[in-house]
Amino acid sequence: MEPILWFGWFRADIIAEYGVMFWRGLQMTILVTVICIAQGTALGLAIGLARLAEARHSPARQICRYLLRWPSTVYVSFFRGTPLFVQILLIHFAVLPLFINPADGLLISGETARSLKQNYGAFISGILALTLNSGAYISEIFRAGIQSIDRGQIEASRSLGLSFARTMYHVVLPQAFRRMLPPLGNNAIALLKDSSLISAIGLAELAYTARTVAGAYSRYWEPYLSISLMYWTLTLGLAWAVKRLEARYGRGDTR
Amino acid sequence: MDEVIRVEGLTKNFGQLQVLRGIDCSVSSSEVVCVIGPSGSGKSTFLRCLNGLEEASGGRVLVHGVSVHDNSTDVDALRSEIGMVFQRFNLFPHMTVLDNITLAPTKVRGVPLEQAREQARALLIKVGLLDKIETYPNQLSGGQQQRVAIARALAMQPAIMLFDEPTSALDPEMVGEVLSVMQTLAEEGMTMMVVSHEMGFARRVANRVLFMDEGVLVEEGTPEEIFDRPREERTRRFLSNIL
């Protein structure tokens, strides 16, 4: 292919040649981000509630402490206290083979395990690591959000006869969610950028594509500048979406 | 007379601090009972024990014969029978006035939404705020918020209404509108227990006045007995300080 030069030095033909690969990488990055935001939020809510679980009477009191609060606290501490990169490697090379292994997988073994690992190994590990990691961060956002709601709100709701669960669902979480949107948005943006780390275990997303292209041509500006612009566009889009949500859920707080 | 609430030897400790030191009393149907006393005398804690917002340390509270603090009691069902109005209103800021009022009837009682809305409109007419039906609480004045809070509690058609210093957080010019709603309620035969510093209201509306000091029910009687002929020295001192 004839080199196409932009501004005298930028080889646009390389990007054009790998256009399809960049497009697939972009799709993969978006897919991973969306899945991990959804799962991480669900997990974060569950862990956040577990960290707040309290009961007055035994045995519920002991269950809350030893089966909910302690494990969730350790979980959050571990995933926030170790590098995401290490978590990805640990899950991909150590944890996943334990469960999905042709020889003796605890979950899946035999031929299914072989093909699953070959085709989707990096995808599964990457999603798992990123979900577990963001779940830990998001649980702290939920916890802080829920704790920031005035006790009087809970008392008013409970004294109307609403159960704890209904109070959470109708009164506390909608108000907490509004306050949690900015930190949740930051977390989503961080997650989008961190998804690039999964390229280390061979998942063909944006960063992986750039590395491949760079390796093929020994050109670095073109691929890395291109994906930088793509990441930047995506994060700007996310930030805009969060702003829209904030406006939508801001009803009632004219203060 | 039909007894709504009976309190037997109620005590409450916060750590080392004894807030309630054995309270006995009862409230009959359609009775209006005002609880007065100096700040820190345990009035609010007492009221909050009645619907289980506070755990009792000892003694018991019976509502229609059901023990509030028993483990086996369905406290949610019990609370739906007891309306409570708070000093700080505690309206749900993310909901309109209408939704504030219909939430509990539809979710707890399973009242159809249209019916709950119809009832909410009737209640808002009663507290004089029908024009605010689609408003959010933060756009209302304190007095208006408190009237909505009263309507919200009434929507559950409670057997008794508890008022925890309902006018203490209000600007003086808004106290009257809330008290007049409460007086109307009393005249309609609602059973009420009111913790308040509004002595005028207690004298005018209450059937019975309880004077509390340092976690003890010092004296009780009709408003005339308490305000005009107090028997106890502590009651006299309190009244001479505030009147």
Side-chain angles (χ1 to χ4, degrees):
Chain A
M1 196 189 276
E2 196 74 354
I4 306 166
L5 287 179
W6 286 359
F7 313 110
W9 61 271
F10 189 92
R11 293 233 353 231
D13 62 302
I14 296 178
I15 306 303
E17 186 189 339
Y18 283 92
V20 175
M21 201 174 163
F22 275 110
W23 174 238
R24 293 220 175 105
L26 181 67
Q27 285 177 317
M28 181 56 82
T29 290
I30 293 173
L31 180 68
V32 166
T33 305
V34 168
I35 291 176
C36 290
I37 287 177
Q39 293 184 353
T41 305
L43 182 66
L45 173 61
I47 300 288
L49 287 174
R51 292 200 67 184
L52 292 171
E54 257 179 70
R56 277 171 178 172
H57 307 290
S58 51
R61 212 180 129 156
Q62 282 75 16
I63 290 174
C64 283
R65 172 183 278 184
Y66 297 113
L67 295 180
L68 292 173
R69 282 210 306 275
W70 283 17
S72 55
T73 305
V74 171
Y75 164 83
V76 171
S77 172
F78 177 80
F79 278 94
R80 299 208 315 164
T82 55
L84 173 58
F85 190 58
V86 174
Q87 291 162 17
I88 291 171
L89 298 178
L90 186 70
I91 285 173
H92 185 60
F93 294 113
V95 177
L96 200 70
L98 209 61
F99 292 97
I100 303 176
N101 198 320
D104 54 353
L106 286 174
L107 214 59
I108 306 168
S109 56
E111 200 41 48
T112 335
R114 193 185 309 280
S115 74
L116 199 64
K117 253 185 90 175
Q118 207 134 55
N119 298 322
Y120 298 104
F123 183 71
I124 296 171
S125 313
I127 296 272
L128 194 61
L130 218 50
T131 297
L132 290 174
N133 181 273
S134 67
Y137 281 94
I138 291 174
S139 78
E140 286 295 274
I141 297 175
F142 269 100
R143 187 167 74 112
I146 290 169
Q147 281 180 328
S148 77
I149 301 302
D150 180 23
R151 269 209 72 77
Q153 291 288 308
I154 298 168
E155 290 180 351
S157 174
R158 295 307 301 274
S159 71
L160 284 165
L162 277 88
S163 64
F164 176 79
R166 283 207 166 111
T167 297
M168 274 290 151
Y169 184 76
H170 294 292
V171 176
V172 177
L173 286 177
Q175 294 182 61
F177 186 63
R178 165 74 184 83
R179 293 184 196 177
M180 290 175 338
L181 269 173
L184 279 177
N186 287 340
N187 193 78
I189 288 167
L191 203 153
L192 169 68
K193 294 185 292 183
D194 287 345
S195 69
S196 62
L197 290 172
I198 307 178
S199 65
I201 54 172
L203 183 73
E205 41 70 78
L206 270 182
Y208 183 87
T209 307
R211 208 171 62 190
T212 308
V213 174
Y217 279 85
S218 293
R219 300 277 305 186
Y220 299 97
W221 274 102
E222 287 82 359
Y224 286 117
L225 191 61
S226 299
I227 66 162
S228 293
L229 289 177
M230 291 184 211
Y231 277 119
W232 195 12
T233 310
L234 288 177
T235 52
L236 283 175
L238 256 180
W240 177 81
V242 171
K243 259 225 163 78
R244 287 288 305 269
L245 277 176
E246 276 179 54
R248 207 183 125 194
Y249 286 98
R251 286 169 309 174
D253 45 41
T254 41
R255 246 173 289 204
Chain B
M1 252 191 302
D2 185 21
E3 190 175 71
V4 182
I5 286 188
R6 163 168 290 281
V7 181
E8 293 170 352
L10 179 66
T11 62
K12 172 74 187 173
N13 308 328
F14 288 116
Q16 292 294 308
L17 188 70
Q18 269 202 306
V19 184
L20 300 177
R21 305 161 187 251
I23 306 266
D24 297 277
C25 79
S26 72
V27 180
S28 302
S29 187
S30 291
E31 212 182 4
V32 177
V33 177
C34 280
V35 186
I36 61 170
S39 357
S41 57
K43 307 181 299 278
S44 286
T45 307
F46 172 52
L47 205 66
R48 292 160 56 84
C49 282
L50 298 184
N51 69 349
L53 279 185
E54 299 285 355
E55 286 277 282
S57 304
R60 30 181 225 161
V61 175
L62 304 172
V63 176
H64 283 314
V66 180
S67 174
V68 175
H69 300 283
D70 250 15
N71 274 351
S72 55
T73 300
D74 180 355
V75 78
D76 294 330
L78 201 66
R79 280 175 178 151
S80 69
E81 305 284 328
I82 309 172
M84 184 144 192
V85 175
F86 298 85
Q87 185 178 353
R88 300 280 331 158
F89 330 132
N90 298 344
L91 292 178
F92 308 131
H94 60 301
M95 295 180 187
T96 61
V97 164
L98 180 65
D99 293 342
N100 263 278
I101 298 174
T102 56
L103 177 70
T106 52
K107 303 301 172 195
V108 178
R109 290 269 163 76
V111 175
L113 187 59
E114 251 332 293
Q115 194 184 326
R117 288 190 167 156
E118 205 43 59
Q119 186 203 9
R121 276 180 214 111
L123 287 169
L124 283 173
I125 290 170
K126 186 176 187 149
V127 300
L129 288 172
L130 187 60
D131 56 322
K132 303 292 184 191
I133 191 162
E134 288 299 338
T135 314
Y136 285 94
N138 290 336
Q139 294 163 299
L140 299 176
S141 72
Q144 291 170 331
Q145 288 191 49
Q146 193 62 299
R147 279 143 69 198
V148 172
I150 293 173
R152 179 176 69 176
L154 288 174
M156 292 301 279
Q157 294 164 336
I160 182 170
M161 288 280 285
L162 308 177
F163 294 84
D164 186 7
E165 308 205 15
T167 57
S168 298
L170 295 177
D171 291 335
E173 74 267 26
M174 291 166 186
V175 171
E177 61 189 70
V178 171
L179 290 183
S180 83
V181 167
M182 289 168 62
Q183 182 161 2
T184 311
L185 268 186
E187 283 158 5
E188 289 171 1
M190 174 59 77
T191 313
M192 292 164 57
M193 193 142 189
V194 185
V195 169
S196 180
H197 294 291
E198 297 295 330
M199 298 304 148
F201 177 82
R203 187 186 270 276
R204 243 186 3 261
V205 182
N207 304 112
R208 200 143 52 87
V209 176
L210 311 184
F211 173 69
M212 271 182 78
D213 192 16
E214 294 179 346
V216 178
L217 217 171
V218 177
E219 184 171 359
E220 67 171 287
T222 63
E224 292 74 29
E225 284 168 349
I226 297 292
F227 291 115
D228 301 334
R229 308 183 293 277
R231 281 171 280 127
E232 300 289 332
E233 172 56 31
R234 276 200 272 181
T235 316
R236 272 193 290 264
R237 214 178 324 129
F238 171 72
L239 289 172
S240 71
N241 280 343
I242 58 154
L243 294 178

